Amino acid sequence: MSFGFKPYLLLLLGALCHASTVANQPNILLLFSDDAGYADFGFQGSPTHQTPHLDSIANTGVRFTRAYVSGPVCSPSRAGLLSGKYQQFFGHGNNLPNPHPMGLPLDIKLMPEYLQELGYGTYMIGKWHLGIPEPYQPQNRGFDRFFGILEGARSYHKIKNPSLGKALVENGQRFQEEAGLYVTDLFGDKAIEFLNDHFDQDPNKPFFMYLSFTAPHSPMDAKEEDIHALDHVEFESEERKINAAMTLAMDREVGRILELLKARGELDNTMVIFLNDNGGAGRSNHSSNLPLRGHKSSMFEGGVRVPMLVSWPSGGIPKGVDFDGVTSSFDLLPTFIRMAGGSLSPDWELEGRDLMPYLRGDRVGDPHATLAWRFNGYKGRKALLHRGWKYINWEGSESLFHIESDPCEKKNLAKQNPNKVDTMRTMLLAWEANAMQPLWWWNKDYERKYALPPEELSSLPIHLTDNVN
């Protein structure tokens, strides 16, 4: 691991007292994009995707070069983020079908509930995808206010008579959609509304806002003005331009929120976090994960490794640096709790680590020596990352990569290292002993439609290709 100043080029992958007595608890703004490509941000070195406001977060904080999420698709990733646990341990290992009578199990305590107990106002805007029935909705899972969608995706424009899952809702009530709306802009409007209300009504109370954009998840709906704003940029396809325009709209809303925080005098004492929910979806939304291999739903780096930024000007986090330690999205919950003046109980069985000692330079090394993944149950695809090595079991086919020297996973070393394969398989099986079979199942329509590109299909054993394309 290194921790020092680096140029923002595309990654050359090679406490406090109890909350009631804390006067300077930081605000927390957690920004989440959806199906974005690893390469598709200015701070990642993209020559086409313009993200000046997200870049400003990188310039005033830390960019993580080895950040992972706990699942390769939308719903499991969110379950891990908000619970601080491996979601496979409570049965949320697959994407939640829509509609479905269940959701993230109600006995699992979530991030906003912990922060409410520490005195925070809690707000959510955007995509939920953790349960449609009322008991599972955000306003019943720790959020004081919610505006967004309950399913995983919808049109970015007005829908006539949408289902509850695709409707825009505010604390369980349908929102009246008007002609001309654009969902990304509306999410920004509502975030500003919620924050202004918070500052006016509870000026001495810290806030936690989870702003979960749907951009740039399909459908590929971009505003004409955003498309034309990129006319001066050369794209390899019109679809890539639309993806960039959707990302531009998201970045603009981030900028509006940052400007509001600055105007209210709250920006310096706000920890701002940005990350993506899983790897870019490839042909589904024309995202790019280069130079990583794979895409959303895969166990390759392109499926689980994500861009991530953290900035907190008054919090002792250095500016404009890269952090190379192995990090997971479920580290954010324990980090927030400790930042907010709380203590961590072993009874909570959180999987994450408090990142602040690493970011402030008080601790060196990787927050995690080992991370594991599983998607679609015991017979599905799974992976284990351990001290520079990565073992992948793709529905029975085993691969081994040395990620530190081969982050693009080009050379399968399984045949040359049978003992290492045996060891890592055993470690993964021990981890799986704590996992449940999924509470619901995933079908492969996504990969049948968008699939692996030809070069990925050719790398799989023949007996698997019928299953993924």
Side-chain angles (χ1 to χ4, degrees):
M1 185 205 77
S2 67
F3 189 33
F5 289 87
K6 296 182 181 179
Y8 285 117
L9 299 174
L10 180 61
L11 176 59
L12 299 174
L13 289 155
L16 297 174
C17 308
H18 185 271
S20 62
T21 63
V22 175
N24 60 341
Q25 289 174 299
N27 303 310
I28 302 170
L29 175 61
L30 175 56
L31 305 168
F32 217 45
S33 58
D34 195 356
D35 283 9
Y38 190 81
D40 291 343
F41 299 95
F43 63 84
Q44 292 287 81
S46 174
T48 55
H49 285 56
Q50 300 180 6
T51 54
H53 302 295
L54 290 171
D55 297 350
S56 74
I57 301 172
N59 292 333
T60 59
V62 173
R63 183 182 72 148
F64 291 72
T65 65
R66 300 186 68 190
Y68 294 89
V69 288
S70 60
V73 293
C74 302
S75 187
S77 171
R78 285 164 169 76
L81 170 79
L82 294 181
S83 69
K85 302 172 182 283
Y86 280 113
Q87 68 277 359
Q88 297 90 346
F89 292 178
F90 52 85
H92 204 117
N94 286 349
N95 239 354
L96 185 63
N98 296 313
H100 197 276
M102 296 177 65
L104 195 158
L106 298 174
D107 61 341
I108 301 299
K109 189 173 181 178
L110 301 184
M111 186 180 289
E113 297 174 279
Y114 289 100
L115 292 173
Q116 275 184 335
E117 293 174 357
L118 291 167
Y120 278 68
T122 57
Y123 311 102
M124 183 186 168
I125 310 287
K127 171 175 170 174
W128 178 237
H129 205 187
L130 295 173
I132 295 175
E134 186 174 357
Y136 298 97
Q137 293 179 16
Q139 72 276 6
N140 297 316
R141 305 302 302 267
F143 287 103
D144 297 329
R145 295 176 69 178
F146 164 69
F147 178 88
I149 64 169
L150 297 171
E151 281 192 14
R154 59 154 280 157
S155 170
Y156 288 75
H157 305 295
K158 178 181 177 180
I159 301 177
K160 184 178 181 180
N161 299 322
S163 65
L164 178 60
K166 294 189 184 302
L168 293 165
V169 297
E170 187 161 1
N171 279 15
Q173 302 300 312
R174 289 175 180 263
F175 177 80
Q176 185 63 44
E177 300 189 22
E178 298 180 357
L181 74 79
Y182 187 68
V183 163
T184 303
D185 293 351
L186 186 56
F187 288 167
D189 291 342
K190 281 293 182 177
I192 289 173
E193 175 189 325
F194 283 13
L195 288 174
N196 276 326
D197 288 348
H198 174 85
F199 295 139
D200 292 341
Q201 297 166 14
D202 296 293
N204 297 317
K205 189 174 186 177
F207 73 81
F208 164 62
M209 175 170 282
Y210 171 43
L211 176 48
S212 176
F213 290 101
T214 52
H217 193 293
S218 59
M220 302 309 291
D221 296 337
K223 296 168 67 174
E224 286 297 323
E225 53 262 47
D226 289 331
I227 294 173
H228 291 310
L230 298 171
D231 284 345
H232 65 289
V233 181
E234 184 175 347
F235 290 89
E236 62 189 61
S237 68
E238 184 65 19
E239 291 82 4
R240 283 285 288 159
K241 187 176 183 180
I242 293 172
N243 179 289
M246 296 170 70
T247 303
L248 181 67
M250 176 178 66
D251 184 79
R252 179 176 59 246
E253 298 311 307
V254 170
R256 292 176 62 208
I257 295 164
L258 296 179
E259 186 59 35
L260 170 66
L261 294 176
K262 182 178 180 180
R264 288 283 193 161
E266 296 286 344
L267 185 56
D268 280 353
N269 195 42
T270 299
M271 174 179 263
V272 182
I273 306 94
F274 170 79
L275 70 162
N276 191 50
D277 66 338
N278 43 248
R283 289 189 288 177
S284 169
N285 70 344
H286 303 275
S287 54
S288 172
N289 293 318
L290 293 175
L292 301 179
R293 178 180 180 181
H295 58 73
K296 174 182 179 178
S297 83
S298 80
M299 288 293 156
F300 297 118
E301 293 289 276
V304 294
R305 191 164 174 168
V306 298
M308 179 170 159
L309 306 171
V310 174
S311 174
W312 181 17
S314 68
I317 292 178
K319 298 181 180 181
V321 304
D322 283 356
F323 178 67
D324 297 340
V326 174
T327 308
S328 174
S329 56
F330 53 51
D331 294 327
L332 293 178
L333 176 55
T335 302
F336 294 166
I337 292 172
R338 293 296 299 274
M339 269 178 21
S343 57
L344 302 175
S345 169
D347 295 338
W348 297 341
E349 299 182 330
L350 301 182
E351 298 293 338
R353 307 283 189 270
D354 177 9
L355 296 177
M356 288 306 297
Y358 296 93
L359 298 182
R360 288 174 170 155
D362 299 329
R363 184 175 296 174
V364 297
D366 291 325
H368 295 276
T370 307
L371 291 174
W373 296 269
R374 192 184 75 180
F375 180 43
N376 218 31
Y378 292 122
K379 295 183 179 180
R381 56 198 66 171
K382 57 198 78 173
L384 182 85
L385 179 70
H386 179 67
R387 300 193 185 281
W389 290 88
K390 186 174 177 187
Y391 165 80
I392 297 176
N393 186 313
W394 188 303
E395 299 171 7
S397 176
E398 297 180 306
S399 302
L400 182 70
F401 303 96
H402 190 255
I403 292 296
E404 289 189 354
S405 61
D406 179 24
C408 302
E409 296 168 303
K410 293 182 178 180
K411 190 173 183 180
N412 184 356
L413 301 175
K415 290 184 179 180
Q416 297 95 311
N417 297 273
N419 291 337
K420 175 66 71 173
V421 170
D422 289 345
T423 297
M424 296 190 73
R425 183 195 307 116
T426 300
M427 291 176 66
L428 185 56
L429 286 170
W431 174 83
E432 280 197 280
N434 297 302
M436 295 171 55
Q437 280 287 67
L439 296 173
W440 46 80
W441 290 94
W442 170 75
N443 65 56
K444 297 187 178 180
D445 287 347
Y446 169 82
E447 287 178 331
R448 290 190 183 101
K449 288 173 65 177
Y450 306 112
L452 301 169
E455 63 271 19
E456 292 291 343
L457 282 174
S458 65
S459 72
L460 294 178
I462 293 175
H463 77 277
L464 292 180
T465 57
D466 289 340
N467 291 334
V468 299
N469 199 18

